Amino acid sequence: MHPAIERIWKLVPKPAQDFIAAAVDRVNGVVPPPPPQPDLTRRHRVLIGPVNYAGQGYRWSRAIEETGDASARNFVHAENNVLQYPADYVVPWRTSEHSRAWQRAMVSTIADDYTHVLIEACVPVLGGMFDGDLRRQVALMQRNGAQVGIIGHGTDVRLPSTHLLSTPWSHFVDSDEWVAAERVEAVVAENLRVIGELGLPTFVSTAGLLIDLPEAHFLGVVIEPEKWANTAPLLQRDRPRVVHAPTHPHVKGTPLIVPAAQKLHDEGLIEFVQLDRTPNEEMAAVLASADIVLDQFRVGDYGVAACETMAAGRLVLAHVTDQVRAEVERHASMPLPVVEATPDNVETVLRDIVARREHYRAIAASGPEFVRRLHDGAFSREVLMKHFLTV
């Protein structure tokens, strides 16, 4: 939508917006899809949505179903799923925001068929109902008998003001080219205020988010370790192959580390390859061909990409704060096998890897075991069972 048109559209009262959108959908033959249905024979029936960032809503759903006593369905707005991660149910944002029929059907289905609802990233699961007021939507679902929880994914609950204190390379330091930090601060502060008022069971996908949600439970991201496993030798080439494949260069710190990597490439010490928006289905082959993966250097946390790299037995370099390392080591009973590197010392670390290959092969070799302990779905399932499904 053109910015000028969007500004005008926002001035239109919500009932009028809904009427206009519904009329346009009727003309275009758009029919609201029926809500997702769980397996009604299961005691616990969970709905997760509606963002599915990095396919995690879908992965958590599959992990929940491994209990044998639960059915789970995730859903996502089509516009939030541009990378086409697997999802049980995809609905256009326009439908969820403006279709009263879809909203009523979701309310009825949740009341009749689901026992639990997990709201991702403070995005309303009932779309535009009550003008998207999360408090009122939660109250309605609770009155209808559902247990409700919240999952924080990242920017939705990460305050720029606290993140700037946790790492000097924060992506909020010079974020104007990405998103204004003050705007993020206002949105996140409101999300945290709503979460505090609701008092629901709350979970975070990565350990760094516990800084802003200390009462939340670390849930962990989930991957399929077997998809990434390979037997390719590591650090045996004269010039180790170093790969950097950022989904968002500013957030990953790409401009801060590429000059050092390129310098070593030009020296002939390493082979540096930078990739741009490689489809997820191609990344397994990319990782198998790499020795070292430069992950992220500004957030101070780790997520799906690092887990996939560890599962592949490759060496991950990233900046991960002491707080994150201590938290995940407490749960995994082993250190996080991500080599600490910052924009200030990444060149030195890469030179050390080339010089001490056996030392770093051992670190990479522990990656698959770490992933099995925290990120294959079993740990996440136990957390949700203990703190949500059986409460």
Side-chain angles (χ1 to χ4, degrees):
M1 184 181 290
H2 189 279
I5 297 175
E6 184 176 4
R7 286 194 295 271
I8 295 172
W9 177 252
K10 288 181 177 179
L11 297 175
V12 177
K14 185 65 166 57
Q17 288 182 356
D18 295 343
F19 178 81
I20 295 169
V24 172
D25 282 348
R26 281 196 299 272
V27 170
N28 292 328
V30 176
V31 178
Q37 291 292 324
D39 181 348
L40 297 179
T41 67
R42 303 296 182 179
R43 182 160 61 108
H44 305 299
R45 300 178 297 278
V46 188
L47 181 67
I48 304 177
V51 298
N52 198 39
Y53 293 146
Q56 289 306 292
Y58 180 83
R59 292 291 163 216
W60 289 320
S61 295
R62 301 292 75 77
I64 289 171
E65 291 188 323
E66 288 295 319
T67 65
D69 194 28
S71 174
R73 298 290 181 268
N74 90 293
F75 84 100
V76 61
H77 297 145
E79 295 79 358
N80 277 339
N81 205 36
V82 293
L83 295 181
Q84 300 298 302
Y85 285 103
D88 294 317
Y89 176 78
V90 180
V91 63
W93 174 87
R94 175 193 179 101
T95 297
S96 72
E97 180 67 18
H98 297 295
S99 172
R100 302 287 184 86
W102 180 87
Q103 293 162 12
R104 288 193 297 268
M106 282 293 286
V107 170
S108 178
T109 298
I110 291 172
D112 294 342
D113 300 335
Y114 286 93
T115 59
H116 296 76
V117 177
L118 279 168
I119 302 169
E120 297 180 282
C122 290
V123 178
V125 295
L126 299 178
M129 177 171 280
F130 306 134
D131 288 339
D133 188 326
L134 195 62
R135 298 172 182 85
R136 294 180 65 187
Q137 291 191 12
V138 167
L140 175 61
M141 290 185 287
Q142 289 176 324
R143 286 198 302 273
N144 287 339
Q147 301 294 317
V148 184
I150 290 179
I151 300 177
H153 271 276
T155 303
D156 50 295
V157 292
R158 182 184 288 116
L159 275 172
S161 56
T162 55
H163 194 260
L164 287 164
L165 298 174
S166 70
T167 171
W169 301 281
S170 171
H171 50 300
F172 294 113
V173 169
D174 51 355
S175 63
D176 287 347
E177 63 185 73
W178 171 51
V179 59
E182 59 271 16
R183 287 183 55 195
V184 178
E185 183 83 13
V187 172
V188 174
E190 176 60 19
N191 285 347
L192 295 177
R193 184 160 43 249
V194 171
I195 291 172
E197 291 176 6
L198 290 173
L200 303 172
T202 303
F203 306 87
V204 290
S205 60
T206 65
L209 301 176
L210 294 171
I211 291 177
D212 291 302
L213 281 172
E215 302 304 317
H217 304 285
F218 170 56
L219 183 59
V221 298
V222 176
I223 68 166
E224 297 177 274
E226 61 276 7
K227 174 182 176 180
W228 305 95
N230 68 81
T231 57
L234 186 72
L235 294 174
Q236 290 188 355
R237 286 171 279 210
D238 289 341
R239 299 176 64 188
R241 193 166 196 258
V242 180
V243 172
H244 181 53
T247 50
H248 195 298
H250 175 81
V251 176
K252 293 286 187 175
T254 301
L256 303 181
I257 55 96
V258 164
Q262 189 62 48
K263 175 185 176 182
L264 298 184
H265 174 91
D266 295 342
E267 285 183 15
L269 191 70
I270 65 171
E271 177 194 357
F272 175 59
V273 179
Q274 182 177 343
L275 304 174
D276 181 39
R277 293 189 174 275
T278 304
N280 189 256
E281 62 269 17
E282 298 178 15
M283 281 304 296
V286 169
L287 295 182
S289 71
D291 291 295
I292 302 165
V293 173
L294 304 178
D295 183 30
Q296 63 77 26
F297 298 84
R298 307 198 74 166
V299 178
D301 210 337
Y302 75 98
V304 171
C307 290
E308 292 168 348
T309 305
M310 287 186 282
R314 308 296 94 182
L315 195 63
V316 189
L317 268 62
H319 167 48
V320 181
T321 66
D322 291 342
Q323 175 265 330
V324 171
R325 290 181 183 275
E327 181 68 21
V328 298
E329 182 171 347
R330 181 170 70 86
H331 293 290
S333 299
M334 66 179 289
L336 171 68
V338 170
V339 176
E340 177 63 19
T342 72
D344 291 348
N345 71 2
V346 66
E347 178 184 340
T348 301
V349 174
L350 285 169
R351 289 187 186 277
D352 192 53
I353 292 169
V354 175
R356 297 195 300 144
R357 300 183 183 215
E358 284 300 324
H359 171 75
Y360 290 99
R361 284 193 191 105
I363 294 174
S366 67
E369 176 61 24
F370 182 87
V371 170
R372 282 191 292 272
R373 293 190 185 192
L374 284 190
H375 300 292
D376 69 351
F379 172 79
S380 301
R381 178 171 61 252
E382 290 174 6
V383 171
L384 289 171
M385 288 297 294
K386 179 178 179 180
H387 300 290
F388 187 51
L389 296 184
T390 59
V391 173

PDB file of all heavy atoms in Angstrom, residues 40 45 106-115 144:
ATOM      1  N   LEU A  40      -9.035 -34.139  17.979  1.00  0.00           N
ATOM      2  CA  LEU A  40      -9.898 -34.024  19.159  1.00  0.00           C
ATOM      3  C   LEU A  40      -9.790 -35.220  20.100  1.00  0.00           C
ATOM      4  O   LEU A  40     -10.343 -35.177  21.203  1.00  0.00           O
ATOM      5  CB  LEU A  40     -11.351 -33.835  18.714  1.00  0.00           C
ATOM      6  CG  LEU A  40     -11.630 -32.551  17.922  1.00  0.00           C
ATOM      7  CD1 LEU A  40     -13.089 -32.491  17.510  1.00  0.00           C
ATOM      8  CD2 LEU A  40     -11.260 -31.318  18.741  1.00  0.00           C
ATOM      9  N   ARG A  45      -4.805 -29.821  23.441  1.00  0.00           N
ATOM     10  CA  ARG A  45      -4.917 -29.378  22.049  1.00  0.00           C
ATOM     11  C   ARG A  45      -4.483 -27.909  22.002  1.00  0.00           C
ATOM     12  O   ARG A  45      -5.129 -27.041  22.594  1.00  0.00           O
ATOM     13  CB  ARG A  45      -6.339 -29.579  21.544  1.00  0.00           C
ATOM     14  CG  ARG A  45      -6.764 -31.053  21.611  1.00  0.00           C
ATOM     15  CD  ARG A  45      -8.182 -31.284  21.151  1.00  0.00           C
ATOM     16  NE  ARG A  45      -9.178 -30.607  21.981  1.00  0.00           N
ATOM     17  CZ  ARG A  45      -9.651 -31.071  23.127  1.00  0.00           C
ATOM     18  NH1 ARG A  45      -9.189 -32.224  23.617  1.00  0.00           N
ATOM     19  NH2 ARG A  45     -10.565 -30.405  23.800  1.00  0.00           N
ATOM     20  N   MET A 106     -12.848 -18.377  14.379  1.00  0.00           N
ATOM     21  CA  MET A 106     -11.692 -18.682  15.219  1.00  0.00           C
ATOM     22  C   MET A 106     -12.093 -18.727  16.689  1.00  0.00           C
ATOM     23  O   MET A 106     -11.667 -19.631  17.430  1.00  0.00           O
ATOM     24  CB  MET A 106     -10.590 -17.643  15.000  1.00  0.00           C
ATOM     25  CG  MET A 106      -9.800 -17.847  13.726  1.00  0.00           C
ATOM     26  SD  MET A 106      -8.794 -19.363  13.734  1.00  0.00           S
ATOM     27  CE  MET A 106      -7.473 -18.889  14.850  1.00  0.00           C
ATOM     28  N   VAL A 107     -12.899 -17.776  17.127  1.00  0.00           N
ATOM     29  CA  VAL A 107     -13.358 -17.761  18.518  1.00  0.00           C
ATOM     30  C   VAL A 107     -14.098 -19.055  18.834  1.00  0.00           C
ATOM     31  O   VAL A 107     -13.857 -19.708  19.865  1.00  0.00           O
ATOM     32  CB  VAL A 107     -14.261 -16.547  18.788  1.00  0.00           C
ATOM     33  CG1 VAL A 107     -14.937 -16.670  20.151  1.00  0.00           C
ATOM     34  CG2 VAL A 107     -13.457 -15.251  18.724  1.00  0.00           C
ATOM     35  N   SER A 108     -14.996 -19.448  17.933  1.00  0.00           N
ATOM     36  CA  SER A 108     -15.786 -20.656  18.152  1.00  0.00           C
ATOM     37  C   SER A 108     -14.919 -21.907  18.158  1.00  0.00           C
ATOM     38  O   SER A 108     -15.077 -22.788  19.022  1.00  0.00           O
ATOM     39  CB  SER A 108     -16.853 -20.769  17.057  1.00  0.00           C
ATOM     40  OG  SER A 108     -17.606 -21.961  17.201  1.00  0.00           O
ATOM     41  N   THR A 109     -13.963 -21.984  17.228  1.00  0.00           N
ATOM     42  CA  THR A 109     -13.111 -23.164  17.135  1.00  0.00           C
ATOM     43  C   THR A 109     -12.205 -23.289  18.355  1.00  0.00           C
ATOM     44  O   THR A 109     -12.023 -24.382  18.904  1.00  0.00           O
ATOM     45  CB  THR A 109     -12.261 -23.108  15.854  1.00  0.00           C
ATOM     46  OG1 THR A 109     -13.129 -23.114  14.714  1.00  0.00           O
ATOM     47  CG2 THR A 109     -11.303 -24.291  15.770  1.00  0.00           C
ATOM     48  N   ILE A 110     -11.637 -22.168  18.790  1.00  0.00           N
ATOM     49  CA  ILE A 110     -10.787 -22.204  19.986  1.00  0.00           C
ATOM     50  C   ILE A 110     -11.601 -22.638  21.199  1.00  0.00           C
ATOM     51  O   ILE A 110     -11.154 -23.459  22.010  1.00  0.00           O
ATOM     52  CB  ILE A 110     -10.127 -20.831  20.217  1.00  0.00           C
ATOM     53  CG1 ILE A 110      -9.084 -20.556  19.119  1.00  0.00           C
ATOM     54  CG2 ILE A 110      -9.451 -20.779  21.597  1.00  0.00           C
ATOM     55  CD1 ILE A 110      -8.522 -19.144  19.141  1.00  0.00           C
ATOM     56  N   ALA A 111     -12.811 -22.096  21.326  1.00  0.00           N
ATOM     57  CA  ALA A 111     -13.661 -22.441  22.470  1.00  0.00           C
ATOM     58  C   ALA A 111     -14.044 -23.913  22.456  1.00  0.00           C
ATOM     59  O   ALA A 111     -14.062 -24.574  23.508  1.00  0.00           O
ATOM     60  CB  ALA A 111     -14.913 -21.570  22.460  1.00  0.00           C
ATOM     61  N   ASP A 112     -14.342 -24.457  21.281  1.00  0.00           N
ATOM     62  CA  ASP A 112     -14.854 -25.826  21.198  1.00  0.00           C
ATOM     63  C   ASP A 112     -13.757 -26.884  21.118  1.00  0.00           C
ATOM     64  O   ASP A 112     -13.934 -28.002  21.621  1.00  0.00           O
ATOM     65  CB  ASP A 112     -15.753 -25.970  19.960  1.00  0.00           C
ATOM     66  CG  ASP A 112     -17.031 -25.140  20.064  1.00  0.00           C
ATOM     67  OD1 ASP A 112     -17.396 -24.741  21.187  1.00  0.00           O
ATOM     68  OD2 ASP A 112     -17.638 -24.875  19.006  1.00  0.00           O
ATOM     69  N   ASP A 113     -12.625 -26.533  20.470  1.00  0.00           N
ATOM     70  CA  ASP A 113     -11.678 -27.582  20.076  1.00  0.00           C
ATOM     71  C   ASP A 113     -10.288 -27.482  20.694  1.00  0.00           C
ATOM     72  O   ASP A 113      -9.532 -28.461  20.641  1.00  0.00           O
ATOM     73  CB  ASP A 113     -11.531 -27.593  18.550  1.00  0.00           C
ATOM     74  CG  ASP A 113     -12.851 -27.871  17.847  1.00  0.00           C
ATOM     75  OD1 ASP A 113     -13.727 -28.505  18.466  1.00  0.00           O
ATOM     76  OD2 ASP A 113     -12.995 -27.461  16.678  1.00  0.00           O
ATOM     77  N   TYR A 114      -9.927 -26.343  21.262  1.00  0.00           N
ATOM     78  CA  TYR A 114      -8.572 -26.175  21.792  1.00  0.00           C
ATOM     79  C   TYR A 114      -8.605 -25.998  23.306  1.00  0.00           C
ATOM     80  O   TYR A 114      -9.515 -25.384  23.860  1.00  0.00           O
ATOM     81  CB  TYR A 114      -7.882 -24.973  21.153  1.00  0.00           C
ATOM     82  CG  TYR A 114      -7.445 -25.219  19.721  1.00  0.00           C
ATOM     83  CD1 TYR A 114      -8.281 -24.867  18.662  1.00  0.00           C
ATOM     84  CD2 TYR A 114      -6.227 -25.821  19.435  1.00  0.00           C
ATOM     85  CE1 TYR A 114      -7.899 -25.107  17.349  1.00  0.00           C
ATOM     86  CE2 TYR A 114      -5.832 -26.063  18.132  1.00  0.00           C
ATOM     87  CZ  TYR A 114      -6.672 -25.704  17.086  1.00  0.00           C
ATOM     88  OH  TYR A 114      -6.283 -25.944  15.798  1.00  0.00           O
ATOM     89  N   THR A 115      -7.567 -26.539  23.948  1.00  0.00           N
ATOM     90  CA  THR A 115      -7.431 -26.360  25.394  1.00  0.00           C
ATOM     91  C   THR A 115      -6.407 -25.281  25.742  1.00  0.00           C
ATOM     92  O   THR A 115      -6.467 -24.714  26.826  1.00  0.00           O
ATOM     93  CB  THR A 115      -6.994 -27.684  26.054  1.00  0.00           C
ATOM     94  OG1 THR A 115      -5.729 -28.099  25.491  1.00  0.00           O
ATOM     95  CG2 THR A 115      -8.031 -28.772  25.828  1.00  0.00           C
ATOM     96  N   ASN A 144     -13.803 -18.564  27.571  1.00  0.00           N
ATOM     97  CA  ASN A 144     -14.290 -19.726  26.816  1.00  0.00           C
ATOM     98  C   ASN A 144     -13.552 -21.015  27.175  1.00  0.00           C
ATOM     99  O   ASN A 144     -13.781 -22.048  26.550  1.00  0.00           O
ATOM    100  CB  ASN A 144     -14.167 -19.461  25.315  1.00  0.00           C
ATOM    101  CG  ASN A 144     -15.198 -18.454  24.827  1.00  0.00           C
ATOM    102  OD1 ASN A 144     -16.231 -18.243  25.469  1.00  0.00           O
ATOM    103  ND2 ASN A 144     -14.930 -17.831  23.692  1.00  0.00           N
TER     104      ASN A 144
END
